[in-house]
Amino acid sequence: MNRFLKTHPVSMLVYFISVIGISMVCKSPIIQLISLFGAASYAVWLTKGREFLSQLAFFVTLFLLISVTNPLFVHNGKTPLFFMNGNPVTLEAVICGMSIAVVIISVILWFSCMTRVMTSDKFYFIFSRISPKLALVFSMALNFIPKLKKSYKDTEKAHKTLGIYSTDSRVDRLKLKLKTMSSVVSQSAENSIETSASMNARGYGDKKRTSCFVKKFTAFDFFVMVISLAVFTAEIIFMLNKTLAFEFYPTFSKITIEINGVIAYSGCFVLCFLPVIIEITESLKWKYFVSKI
Amino acid sequence: MKKDLLVVFFVVLAVAVLIMGTEFQSVEEYYLTHADEITEDSDTVYFSINCENAVSSGKLSESQLKELNNGEILKEKEYVLLDGESVFDMLKRVCRFEKIHMEYQGADKNIYNSAYVQGINYLYEFDCGETSGWIFLVNGKQTDTSCGKYKLQDGDKVEWVYSLDAGKEFLK
């Protein structure tokens, strides 16, 4: 079951823009954590957990790297942990680094979910009426990374059959991998020229070309769109009236639980977990109907 | 395999050199300094740190204002001047002794003595707009050299002040 995949492209785009916008702009650590867990749970749902687990090592290293790097360059903060070459390494800078890392990881996760759900034909459907050239560039850019991955795998296999990787040394193998990578990149640069010529010949980028995408704007799409826009504007208002304001330096501002804050957090929770909630209710419905038959 | 071992060896060596070149101190160790006692024949300097105009500018956040104590970070006080000390050396020593947070940029021990004070007591440059930052006055006047280069003399009065307009409000 994948109900969210069948949402209308426009409301899907609105949803992703608002959720990524909030998680990028908001400084409140609670909102950041909600966004991270929402993105992670949807990524787990989409990939059935397997791919997410293989990415987990990358995310953990990224998290550690950023949270260690920030205190090396920022020495602001009231509670020094120890001094390094006469400069304080402070708790505030460490926690600030962690929050930056959480934001970066959650945005990466949201984008990875987005590329899975918003396929290039949907992008073309939305943008072809506004600017066909932009739509073409968008869909080609989205297609680029998976294509590069596949072509890298193929090239590596070809190299393996040539016996290039038969060396014991890890350093040599790394060097050979870099060589494969450079050949793949130059190949893709070559391909891009051919692709653009061939797409032009097929009439892409022309305003008269229509795209066929059979999709009606249903009540469900309207519901997704209204929720995204409402929560987005509400969070912006809460950010402006300082309910969600948070300062790291010179020391952490206190998080007090007021009625405004609770509304802001629960709104963000609903928005970030919306796809997962939809999927779970749909699959529950499915099971219920199946058992009836 | 030999190549691998060689690479690992060099990586370990580089990390070791990096760690050896870094000085780690605990908080107590860092603040464990004492000022020399003032005797009759010792050279002294009057030292103060002030940011009243930053506090009254209304551009600081509440949490910053809480730390700034109405802008008077260090009241004017007499300190012993060591031989050949510059304004920057003095600031570093006083901040360490009074447990005031201070961050600087640049090397203070190269031939140019090009140290630049970024922030004192959690108040940083640019916190009150593009032209704001810390400057120093000696006997009420700005100098034409950097704080790492200006050598102090007996009886000088050093003020560190926060300027909102690139030091123009302290020109006389």
Side-chain angles (χ1 to χ4, degrees), chain B residues 20 28 53 64 89 92 97-98 102 107 133 138-139 150:
Chain B
M20 295 285 273
E28 292 84 30
N53 44 0
Q64 261 176 325
D89 296 329
K92 227 167 117 182
F97 176 67
E98 304 283 351
M102 194 267 285
V138 179
N139 299 326
Y150 193 90

Side-chain angles (χ1 to χ4, degrees), chain A residues 51-97:
Chain A
E51 201 169 314
F52 180 74
L53 279 179
S54 69
Q55 282 178 331
L56 204 60
F58 166 71
F59 288 135
V60 170
T61 19
L62 191 69
F63 181 82
L64 291 178
L65 206 69
I66 295 172
S67 43
V68 167
T69 316
N70 194 48
L72 289 183
F73 294 100
V74 180
H75 303 294
N76 202 348
K78 225 187 153 187
T79 32
L81 300 172
F82 59 92
F83 282 79
M84 213 170 81
N85 280 350
N87 274 321
V89 172
T90 61
L91 182 69
E92 281 82 2
V94 175
I95 304 283
C96 184

Side-chain angles (χ1 to χ4, degrees), chain B residues 52-82:
Chain B
E52 265 162 13
N53 44 0
V55 172
S56 56
S57 74
K59 283 178 182 167
L60 298 179
S61 70
E62 260 175 56
S63 46
Q64 261 176 325
L65 287 175
K66 224 182 269 170
E67 305 298 330
L68 286 176
N69 186 27
N70 291 327
E72 196 154 47
I73 295 169
L74 183 71
K75 268 188 195 166
E76 193 175 284
K77 210 170 151 187
E78 204 175 0
Y79 290 94
V80 172
L81 176 67
L82 300 181

Side-chain angles (χ1 to χ4, degrees), chain A residues 232-284:
Chain A
F232 186 68
T233 43
E235 301 295 323
I236 295 286
I237 290 166
F238 281 130
M239 265 178 243
L240 290 178
N241 79 3
K242 301 209 166 153
T243 312
L244 294 178
F246 190 84
E247 299 269 344
F248 286 98
Y249 308 115
T251 188
F252 311 114
S253 39
K254 274 178 192 141
I255 297 175
T256 47
I257 295 179
E258 319 154 54
I259 188 82
N260 276 352
V262 172
I263 293 172
Y265 300 142
S266 46
C268 181
F269 182 86
V270 169
L271 186 70
C272 292
F273 284 86
L274 187 69
V276 178
I277 293 170
I278 289 170
E279 303 296 357
I280 288 174
T281 47
E282 285 297 315
S283 59
L284 282 181

Side-chain angles (χ1 to χ4, degrees), chain A residues 73 75-78 80-86 88 168-172 175 247 249-251, chain B residues 1 3-4 7 21-27 30-31 61 63-64 67 101-104 122 124:
Chain A
F73 294 100
H75 303 294
N76 202 348
K78 225 187 153 187
L81 300 172
F82 59 92
F83 282 79
M84 213 170 81
N85 280 350
D168 250 355
S169 161
R170 274 168 201 273
V171 181
D172 280 349
K175 269 189 193 163
E247 299 269 344
Y249 308 115
T251 188
Chain B
M1 281 311 279
K3 232 182 207 171
D4 283 4
V7 168
T22 322
E23 190 193 3
F24 292 98
Q25 282 173 305
S26 72
V27 181
Y30 181 80
Y31 285 127
S61 70
S63 46
Q64 261 176 325
E67 305 298 330
H101 160 266
M102 194 267 285
E103 187 181 344
Y104 65 95
Y122 320 114
Y124 273 69

Side-chain angles (χ1 to χ4, degrees), chain A residues 214-226:
Chain A
V214 188
K215 187 74 201 160
K216 269 184 186 164
F217 201 78
T218 59
F220 175 78
D221 304 326
F222 186 69
F223 162 77
V224 170
M225 199 154 163
V226 164

